[in-house]
């Protein structure tokens, strides 16, 4: 009976060998398909943000945690940018937030004091 289905068993053995090979080499090929294959990411929370140093007296996340806020924490893109500024420029969380906001305002043609940088702007007092 085994000899009658040798083609089936050969394909099964080949499939098992290929699957095993792909499993053990997944560290090398899986990152190339990272955008195609969805990967589970840990859900962020305000507690994680506090532990990362993304809280201060002026930007208090402890109130959110105490209130049982179920949102996913701070914006991931913004957190990365603030942490990058904190690391590169050796500044506090509040100072990094200020630097980031000034950069964003400048990219949109707004001065740090809130006035537009467009020379065609008309002001009424």
């Amino acid at each position: 009976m085994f000899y009658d289905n040798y083609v089936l068993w050969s394909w099964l053995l080949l499939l098992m060998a290929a699957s095993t090979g792909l499993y053990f080499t997944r560290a090398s090929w899986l990152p190339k398909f990272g955008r195609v294959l969805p990967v589970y990411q840990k859900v962020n929370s305000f507690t994680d943000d506090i532990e990362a140093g993304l809280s201060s007296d002026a930007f208090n996340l402890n109130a959110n945690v105490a209130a049982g806020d179920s949102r996913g924490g701070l914006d991931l893109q913004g957190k990365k940018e603030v942490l990058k500024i904190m690391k590169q420029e050796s500044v506090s969380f509040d100072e990094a937030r200020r630097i980031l906001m000034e950069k964003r305002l400048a990219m949109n043609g707004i001065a740090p004091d809130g006035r537009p940088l467009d020379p065609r702007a008309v002001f009424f007092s």
Side-chain angles (χ1 to χ4, degrees):
M1 182 169 199
F2 175 74
Y3 299 108
D4 295 338
N5 295 325
Y6 71 91
V7 174
L8 174 68
W9 290 106
S10 298
W11 278 105
L12 183 63
L13 182 63
L14 180 66
L15 178 66
M16 286 176 50
S19 299
T20 303
L22 287 171
Y23 177 76
F24 285 115
T25 60
R26 70 186 182 272
S28 63
W29 60 265
L30 193 58
K32 296 174 185 168
F33 296 102
R35 293 186 180 149
V36 177
L37 301 173
V39 178
Y40 171 77
Q41 293 181 348
K42 181 184 174 206
V43 177
N44 293 327
S45 68
F46 288 116
T47 307
D48 295 335
D49 297 336
I50 293 170
E51 291 172 0
L54 301 174
S55 184
S56 67
D57 292 335
F59 192 83
N60 189 0
L61 294 178
N62 290 322
N64 294 41
V65 173
D69 197 334
S70 63
R71 292 179 293 170
L74 300 175
D75 174 47
L76 188 60
Q77 176 85 24
K79 283 194 292 192
K80 286 181 181 179
E81 292 177 23
V82 168
L83 288 171
K84 182 179 175 184
I85 293 170
M86 287 172 67
K87 185 176 180 181
Q88 287 178 345
E89 301 186 21
S90 299
V91 294
S92 68
F93 173 64
D94 288 328
E95 184 68 15
R97 284 181 39 235
R98 186 191 62 78
I99 292 169
L100 178 62
M101 287 309 302
E102 286 180 357
K103 285 181 183 178
R104 287 183 178 174
L105 289 172
M107 286 176 28
N108 290 306
I110 302 171
D113 62 357
R115 289 181 296 132
L117 295 174
D118 188 356
R120 299 171 292 175
V122 178
F123 298 97
F124 297 99
S125 30

